[in-house]
Amino acid sequence: MPTDELRQDAERFLMNTYARAPISIVRGRGSRVYDLEGREYLDFVAGIAVNTLGYSHPDLVAAIQKQAQHLLHASNLYYTEPQVRLAQALVDHSFAKKVFFCNSGAEANEAAIKLARRYAHEKYGPDRYEIITMLQSFHGRTMATLTATGQEKVQKGFEPLLAGFTYVPFNDLPAVEKALTSHTAAVMLEPVQGEGGVHVADRAYLKGLRELCQARDVLLMFDEIQTGMGRTGTLFAYEQLGVQPDVMTLAKGLGGGVPIGACLATDEAAAVFTPSTHASTFGGNPLACAAALAVLRVLLEGRILEQSRRMGDYLVKGLLDCKDRLPIIKDVRGLGLLLGMELAIDGRPVVTDCLARGLLINCTMERVLRFVPPLIITQREIDRLLDTLSQVLSKRV
Ligand SMILES: *Cc1c(COP(=O)(O)O)cnc(C)c1O
């Protein structure tokens, strides 16, 4: 079926929530995907920071096949081994002591928000429920998480929003200090704002937040849905930023392409979730957990993290080099393989031009090109991105 026909059917049958590029992806291998017409694309989107091991990774495919033969789903009314082993592995490699599984980023943040409210409620009573989040943040599209998201465009038309959220500018410690009151239950933020234009939290800021929260028994919650699972060069971004949260959420890269989310917490915070306080039918499903376990093993046992750090450095250098030559590039920033390039112009036509040249990139906040390739990306593939990007941007000076 040609792509045009598929597009027409998509318009007929799908709700119009996405402005899709006019290609249909049918398969992938390594860091490349192929469309319905057989054209190859080098992929610096990776399903929006999801496909960390690229496409068709043999270990991931084998784990999914093997689990599918045994058991797809059983319900959390019973124990299933992949779920327990995945939780154990996440606990072994993070600050956290307990894990709750769900199916997406928004759900992971919903769990974190509920956990924070219940923690504060149990310890300090019903007047302590407020959650401080950051402007330009992104936490999801459910009612609670779009309320947590500090962007009007995400909230517009969905009012009344959930009560109990306050917003402060990112990387502004005095603003948090001012916003903290006896009603504050938690401070929630992304260590690197992804959707909000790739902004990295300062170490001193995070350290300050940690101290403020500690002093008042306010939960510090990191949304590592985009930054987690090796995206920034360490398994979790907080490891290299020098601060441990009380609660952390994961999704995107966790299942390497299979939908799964998780909310991780310290023992003390996690203790407020007891049977029937929170639940999810599919959460921690054996298929998704087997996939996530395979991803985690590859990340921990292989040299991928080390290699991805080198590739991140190499890509930053290349992007900075472009910036020196092309004045329409205003800034290059990010961490590991979560990188952004802010332009003085609309980035969306640049994305379209790159697509026509066989390169997938993404644009966020209108002017920020975002690069989130699979963590297995090679130097030659980065060279090709830099080459294509230079050509496309040079035409627009
Ligand atoms: C993508 C993202 C979410 C939402 O995840 P979904 O799986 O789309 O619900 C939340 N927070 C951050 C930081 C994200 O990048």
Side-chain angles (χ1 to χ4, degrees), residues 15-36:
M15 289 200 196
N16 188 28
T17 53
Y18 281 93
R20 291 180 168 86
I23 64 165
S24 162
I25 295 174
V26 290
R27 65 187 178 88
R29 188 143 207 99
S31 298
R32 321 286 173 106
V33 293
Y34 300 84
D35 72 8
L36 210 47

Side-chain angles (χ1 to χ4, degrees), residues 68-96:
Q69 284 172 348
H70 293 297
L71 182 72
L72 288 177
H73 180 78
S75 156
N76 288 308
L77 296 171
Y78 314 102
Y79 296 101
T80 52
E81 177 130 26
Q83 184 180 130
V84 180
R85 295 295 161 236
L86 177 60
Q88 182 178 20
L90 289 170
V91 166
D92 280 350
H93 293 95
S94 73
F95 72 93

Side-chain angles (χ1 to χ4, degrees), residues 104-107 109 138-141 190 195 223 225-226 251-252:
S104 67
E107 277 177 84
N109 285 337
F138 184 79
H139 297 297
R141 300 283 188 167
E190 302 150 89
E195 307 300 311
D223 177 343
I225 287 163
Q226 191 157 155
K252 291 202 164 82

Side-chain angles (χ1 to χ4, degrees), residues 116-135:
R117 281 199 173 183
R118 204 168 164 94
Y119 178 82
H121 194 278
E122 280 193 3
K123 277 184 95 171
Y124 303 99
D127 289 337
R128 189 148 152 168
Y129 53 81
E130 205 166 77
I131 298 178
I132 298 173
T133 67
M134 306 303 144
L135 293 171

Side-chain angles (χ1 to χ4, degrees), residues 157-171:
F158 299 109
E159 299 86 353
L161 302 179
L162 195 68
F165 285 84
T166 317
Y167 314 96
V168 294
F170 189 61
N171 266 335

Side-chain angles (χ1 to χ4, degrees), residues 91-102:
V91 166
D92 280 350
H93 293 95
S94 73
F95 72 93
K97 292 287 187 286
K98 292 278 198 298
V99 186
F100 172 83
F101 288 114
C102 49

Side-chain angles (χ1 to χ4, degrees), residues 63-279:
I64 293 168
Q65 283 175 337
K66 188 165 166 233
Q67 187 58 44
Q69 284 172 348
H70 293 297
L71 182 72
L72 288 177
H73 180 78
S75 156
N76 288 308
L77 296 171
Y78 314 102
Y79 296 101
T80 52
E81 177 130 26
Q83 184 180 130
V84 180
R85 295 295 161 236
L86 177 60
Q88 182 178 20
L90 289 170
V91 166
D92 280 350
H93 293 95
S94 73
F95 72 93
K97 292 287 187 286
K98 292 278 198 298
V99 186
F100 172 83
F101 288 114
C102 49
N103 315 290
S104 67
E107 277 177 84
N109 285 337
E110 284 276 344
I113 290 164
K114 283 182 70 177
L115 191 81
R117 281 199 173 183
R118 204 168 164 94
Y119 178 82
H121 194 278
E122 280 193 3
K123 277 184 95 171
Y124 303 99
D127 289 337
R128 189 148 152 168
Y129 53 81
E130 205 166 77
I131 298 178
I132 298 173
T133 67
M134 306 303 144
L135 293 171
Q136 311 298 320
S137 59
F138 184 79
H139 297 297
R141 300 283 188 167
T142 62
M143 279 311 301
T145 58
L146 76 80
T147 303
T149 295
Q151 297 187 53
E152 257 172 45
K153 68 174 188 218
V154 173
Q155 303 171 335
K156 206 164 159 269
F158 299 109
E159 299 86 353
L161 302 179
L162 195 68
F165 285 84
T166 317
Y167 314 96
V168 294
F170 189 61
N171 266 335
D172 183 344
L173 191 62
V176 177
E177 220 167 339
K178 238 173 94 187
L180 272 167
T181 68
S182 60
H183 301 297
T184 311
V187 175
M188 181 170 165
L189 74 159
E190 302 150 89
V192 182
Q193 290 191 332
E195 307 300 311
V198 190
H199 297 280
V200 184
D202 300 333
R203 292 174 69 97
Y205 168 67
L206 292 177
K207 189 163 172 279
L209 285 183
R210 181 65 281 179
E211 283 162 9
L212 282 179
C213 290
Q214 197 81 34
R216 296 162 186 249
D217 194 17
V218 161
L219 295 179
L220 181 59
M221 310 205 293
F222 285 174
D223 177 343
E224 291 230 25
I225 287 163
Q226 191 157 155
T227 55
M229 304 317 290
R231 174 55 52 195
T232 66
T234 47
L235 195 55
F236 307 112
Y238 78 80
E239 295 173 61
Q240 56 183 307
L241 294 170
V243 160
Q244 284 190 3
D246 303 298
V247 177
M248 172 171 76
T249 51
L250 300 174
K252 291 202 164 82
L254 183 56
V258 176
I260 177 170
C263 174
L264 287 70
T266 59
D267 262 330
E268 202 194 355
V272 300
F273 274 173
T274 52
S276 86
T277 49
H278 197 48

